[in-house]
Amino acid sequence: MSSGKYRVTTIIVAALLWLPCLGTAANTLDQANALTKQLLQQKMKEQRIPGVQVAIIKDNRIVLSETYGLANVENRVPAKSTTLFPINSATKSFTGVAMMQLVEAGLVDLNAPVSRYLDDLPEAWRGIRIRQLLGHTSGLPDIVDQKGSIGGGTELDAWNAVKKLPLEAAVGDRFAYNQTNYGLLAQIIAKQTKTPYEQYIAEHQFAVAKMPLSTFGDSYDLVPNAATIYATTPRGTLAKDDGNRLSKWIYEIPYSLWAGGGIQTTADEVAHWIIALSNGQLISKAAVQKMWVPEKLNSGADSDWAAGWPVLQTSPHRQIAGIGGARAAFVVYPDDGLAIVVLTNLAGANPQRFIPQIAEFYKQRKSAQ
């Protein structure tokens, strides 16, 4: 064996001895980062994820920022740190922050009925509290079904159709996720600020948190530098590989529902936003804590959501999340000074399922040496 090959082999063996297995805790920040990189590449291979961005925040600073794979498979376009990924329903967390901003500005009361801010509502909708829209406990019918916006026509047709439907549950009785809630919240934001929803978010969150690339749109909008979305879901064709082939995933987020799923952004910019939120730059720290408290049901039990955020765990350590499109997620561990952002372009990647494994690498590490 030549001396050059011997040196390479020695380096590889040393690296393997240094890296603990994926099931163990990391001792240093460098090890935690190395384990995260290893896990992400493993998940990409196992799940056939074309492209991934990750950002790890520890004690209010980004300690890891990586991008892997392809933004567009068919044209072999590499994913970059500046590639925009849709976060879909994780947009609701931004809407939750917007509502808390309006609360602090004296423009909204979370306990007020929606009828205080919006006219032309069905009688059954008028007494629903703003906080119940945020926490999906309103009982409202969903403006979106498995075929898309209900009514099969324009956005206006969909709103007219959903307003004719009965409530699906008594107000406050149960958690039921739906898009109608956030469409109404967007209307409230626009009316109370006299600014379109997307402009309000851009001016009061993107600009403050230094997110110059972040924007809104779906598969039909011409968004520069946006990742193409894929899936391996069977399409019902007669192709022999129908159930196991990568194909484009076309998704539609109508303009009036952008507050529930319209943001396209990067992992780094979401990380900047989380840091700004934690530092009290977007809303006060007290408002952040209030925003993360689960909404109460009429029974007194906790709902699955707080004000715009899924609550994954309340004790012993809190886990608050933004999850969207089965392909994007960020989880904040406020009691551990940790947040993890993973964005992908594969519908069905469900990064929220492996983010907890990444979190363990950082929770149990010692101070970096």
Side-chain angles (χ1 to χ4, degrees):
M1 179 183 292
S2 70
S3 59
K5 290 183 178 179
Y6 176 79
R7 283 196 297 272
V8 171
T9 303
T10 302
I11 291 170
I12 292 173
V13 171
L16 291 173
L17 290 174
W18 173 76
L19 275 175
C21 69
L22 287 175
T24 63
N27 290 324
T28 69
L29 179 59
D30 285 343
Q31 286 180 321
N33 287 344
L35 287 169
T36 298
K37 296 174 187 178
Q38 184 179 348
L39 176 65
L40 285 173
Q41 293 181 64
Q42 174 185 317
K43 293 297 181 182
M44 289 182 73
K45 183 177 181 180
E46 290 174 353
Q47 298 182 222
R48 298 167 60 195
I49 304 172
V52 170
Q53 289 178 342
V54 61
I56 309 293
I57 305 159
K58 190 74 176 95
D59 300 326
N60 277 346
R61 69 184 184 93
I62 298 174
V63 297
L64 179 69
S65 172
E66 293 284 323
T67 302
Y68 303 105
L70 298 173
N72 180 276
V73 173
E74 57 270 33
N75 295 312
R76 308 302 295 175
V77 178
K80 301 177 181 178
S81 62
T82 54
T83 301
L84 295 174
F85 285 74
I87 62 171
N88 296 103
S89 289
T91 301
K92 291 178 173 68
S93 299
F94 288 76
T95 302
V97 172
M99 293 306 297
M100 298 306 292
Q101 289 176 325
L102 268 58
V103 168
E104 292 195 317
L107 295 174
V108 166
D109 177 353
L110 296 184
N111 288 311
V114 65
S115 57
R116 179 182 297 183
Y117 306 106
L118 297 178
D119 303 320
D120 192 28
L121 294 173
E123 185 61 34
W125 296 24
R126 296 180 64 79
I128 296 168
R129 308 293 171 178
I130 302 301
R131 57 183 174 79
Q132 293 170 324
L133 297 178
L134 285 163
H136 293 294
T137 62
S138 66
L140 286 172
D142 199 343
I143 194 171
V144 175
D145 60 22
Q146 293 182 346
K147 297 180 181 178
S149 297
I150 65 171
T154 65
E155 285 184 69
L156 181 58
D157 293 334
W159 279 105
N160 289 335
V162 76
K163 288 180 179 180
K164 294 176 183 176
L165 298 176
L167 293 180
E168 294 186 349
V171 178
D173 262 14
R174 63 180 174 88
F175 169 85
Y177 180 87
N178 82 55
Q179 305 301 336
T180 311
N181 294 320
Y182 280 73
L184 294 176
L185 289 169
Q187 294 175 37
I188 292 170
I189 290 169
K191 186 171 182 180
Q192 293 303 102
T193 65
K194 298 179 175 57
T195 306
Y197 167 82
E198 70 279 8
Q199 182 181 334
Y200 178 85
I201 296 296
E203 293 176 355
H204 295 268
Q205 293 188 44
F206 294 168
V208 177
K210 296 180 173 57
M211 303 170 68
L213 301 176
S214 297
T215 187
F216 288 84
D218 63 12
S219 292
Y220 295 97
D221 291 307
L222 304 181
V223 180
N225 204 29
T228 304
I229 307 303
Y230 300 92
T232 55
T233 305
R235 293 166 54 193
T237 74
L238 294 176
K240 62 181 180 180
D241 59 348
D242 181 73
N244 191 42
R245 65 172 172 173
L246 196 68
S247 59
K248 288 183 179 179
W249 180 268
I250 306 300
Y251 71 99
E252 180 178 7
I253 308 290
Y255 174 78
S256 63
L257 300 182
W258 275 1
I263 289 179
Q264 298 208 26
T265 186
T266 73
D268 283 350
E269 293 204 351
V270 173
H272 293 156
W273 177 77
I274 292 172
I275 291 171
L277 184 63
S278 300
N279 286 339
Q281 293 174 263
L282 299 175
I283 54 177
S284 69
K285 293 183 179 181
V288 172
Q289 299 308 313
K290 182 178 180 180
M291 178 176 64
W292 286 341
V293 174
E295 174 64 18
K296 291 289 185 183
L297 301 175
N298 293 338
S299 65
D302 284 346
S303 174
D304 293 343
W305 272 55
W309 299 70
V311 179
L312 305 184
Q313 180 175 297
T314 57
S315 65
H317 287 193
R318 291 171 295 167
Q319 297 179 21
I320 317 296
I323 300 170
R327 55 181 170 269
F330 48 85
V331 180
V332 181
Y333 301 82
D335 304 315
D336 300 287
L338 177 67
I340 298 169
V341 183
V342 178
L343 309 184
T344 82
N345 58 346
L346 179 72
N350 289 304
Q352 71 275 9
R353 295 179 182 172
F354 55 80
I355 282 178
Q357 189 173 352
I358 296 173
E360 289 304 312
F361 301 153
Y362 295 88
K363 285 183 186 178
Q364 300 178 27
R365 73 174 183 84
K366 299 175 183 177
S367 299
Q369 299 174 349

